[in-house]
Amino acid sequence: MTERPSLPLALTMGDPAGCGPQITARAWEALRKEAVTPFYVIAAPNLLDCPTQSITKPDEATSVFPAALPVLPLSAALPAVETGTPNSDAAAAILESIKIATGHALDGLAGGVVTNPISKAVLYAAGFAHPGHTEFLAAICEESTGNPCPPVMMLVGGGLRVSLATIHVPLMSVPHYLTPDHLAQTARTTAAALARDFGIAAPRLAFTGLNPHAGESGTIGTEERDIINPLAAELRGAGLDISDARPGDTVFAEMLDGRFDAIIVMTHDQGLIPVKTLDFWGGVNTTLGLPIVRTSPDHGTAYDAARDGIARPDSLISAIRLASVMAANRIAHV
């Protein structure tokens, strides 16, 4: 892998009433003396309980970072913030922070974006029109580039890399989404990201099964026999190293033993349970398929922990470190 890129990372503010301000300050305290890519946060400076210095452009962050957290102030008005109490009046500032950070990465001013947690309920109350954080980022990228950017969510932690074929979908509706086109797009996006962002020249992927024991040849469900395995054979014929559907109760151990570089799971919990069991505090959510690097802590706004002043920065620190590695690998891959 190459040296860390010189471009700083852009951190978003997240929900100002949530854990974002606390974990950002604590992440800076933990990382400012390490050989990690410098970062800056797009936020209101008075939110942050650490030494800060306002900057006007991203390239100022590198020299500021060792002594103070660089902060690029928002133009949107921020209401009075009561930690632990969400307020939809903050929506404009939350969204502005995301737009600016993404724009900086798209324009080559930032090496990547690390997003602090937001509350969709807060944004929905203010008229937010996207299903979630990831879809909003993808829409910004699509509008900027003119190219479709179908995102894939990957969780990284505990020695696992897990891409989700479905995310927030009721279990009874999952089979409806497991079309060959969707699974193929998920697999190809994952393989491309492993090569470009993780430095794995010849990635080895696994599909999980949807049903117990991967369907047992159709005796416990037919999705593996009729959809997943024929697609896997087609993808292998096109040069992708990917398994047929593997039983969900063994495939994660197989990856930990070195057989696979990433696993594509059929349901949200099928992937998140092993990652969070192995690395509850340090897991990272990263979005594949975008023209920018994007990582995020693998948790929500944690209003209660923020109110009590005990929000832990572990996952944000991991997200910053992973974004730094991904940005460096992306430069080396060009």
Side-chain angles (χ1 to χ4, degrees):
M1 193 193 71
T2 187
E3 295 181 356
R4 296 290 189 266
S6 58
L7 292 175
L9 300 173
L11 268 63
T12 66
M13 174 178 67
D15 190 319
C19 63
Q22 287 180 27
I23 62 177
T24 297
R26 290 166 185 172
W28 173 77
E29 289 282 6
L31 294 174
R32 66 191 182 97
K33 295 182 180 179
E34 288 191 15
V36 68
T37 305
F39 56 86
Y40 62 99
V41 60
I42 301 161
N46 62 350
L47 287 175
L48 298 146
D49 186 19
C50 67
T52 64
Q53 182 172 326
S54 292
I55 60 174
T56 59
K57 51 186 181 177
D59 63 7
E60 297 171 4
T62 300
S63 60
V64 169
F65 186 79
L69 173 60
V71 181
L72 197 152
L74 292 162
S75 60
L78 193 64
V81 175
E82 183 179 349
T83 302
T85 303
N87 184 347
S88 61
D89 289 342
I94 294 168
L95 296 176
E96 182 191 8
S97 180
I98 298 169
K99 290 176 184 176
I100 292 173
T102 306
H104 284 175
L106 287 166
D107 292 341
L109 302 175
V113 175
V114 182
T115 56
N116 267 303
I118 62 172
S119 166
K120 288 182 287 187
V122 166
L123 301 183
Y124 289 156
F128 186 63
H130 298 274
H133 208 164
T134 297
E135 293 83 358
F136 181 48
L137 286 159
I140 296 172
C141 291
E142 289 179 3
E143 182 178 357
S144 174
T145 64
N147 298 316
C149 303
V152 171
M153 180 184 290
M154 173 182 276
L155 283 303
V156 179
L160 299 175
R161 301 183 193 94
V162 179
S163 290
L164 307 185
T166 63
I167 306 176
H168 300 131
V169 174
L171 280 176
M172 65 184 299
S173 302
V174 165
H176 172 75
Y177 291 87
L178 300 182
T179 65
D181 285 348
H182 176 67
L183 289 174
Q185 181 262 321
T186 303
R188 292 189 180 109
T189 299
T190 299
L194 289 174
R196 181 178 63 174
D197 297 335
F198 291 83
I200 301 171
R204 302 159 300 158
L205 305 181
F207 277 131
T208 65
L210 174 65
N211 299 295
H213 308 295
E216 282 196 4
S217 302
T219 61
I220 318 178
T222 60
E223 286 81 7
E224 294 81 6
R225 183 194 65 194
D226 296 345
I227 301 172
I228 301 171
N229 293 346
L231 173 64
E234 181 181 328
L235 292 172
R236 287 193 294 271
L240 197 64
D241 186 346
I242 190 165
S243 75
D244 282 352
R246 303 292 300 159
D249 58 353
T250 59
V251 69
F252 301 101
E254 290 175 329
M255 181 173 175
L256 292 174
D257 284 342
R259 182 170 175 181
F260 302 114
D261 298 303
I263 300 168
I264 298 168
V265 302
M266 299 300 117
T267 72
H268 177 278
D269 285 7
Q270 190 181 50
L272 268 69
I273 288 171
V275 170
K276 290 196 172 185
T277 298
L278 291 170
D279 194 3
F280 183 77
W281 292 109
V284 178
N285 172 7
T286 184
T287 305
L288 313 182
L290 301 181
I292 62 170
V293 169
R294 184 265 178 136
T295 65
S296 181
D298 183 24
H299 59 69
T301 50
Y303 289 122
D304 289 346
R307 183 184 300 113
D308 295 339
I310 57 172
R312 291 180 53 154
D314 310 50
S315 188
L316 179 60
I317 290 170
S318 295
I320 292 166
R321 286 177 171 150
L322 180 59
S324 176
V325 170
M326 292 173 69
N329 283 327
R330 189 170 286 205
I331 289 172
H333 189 74
V334 173

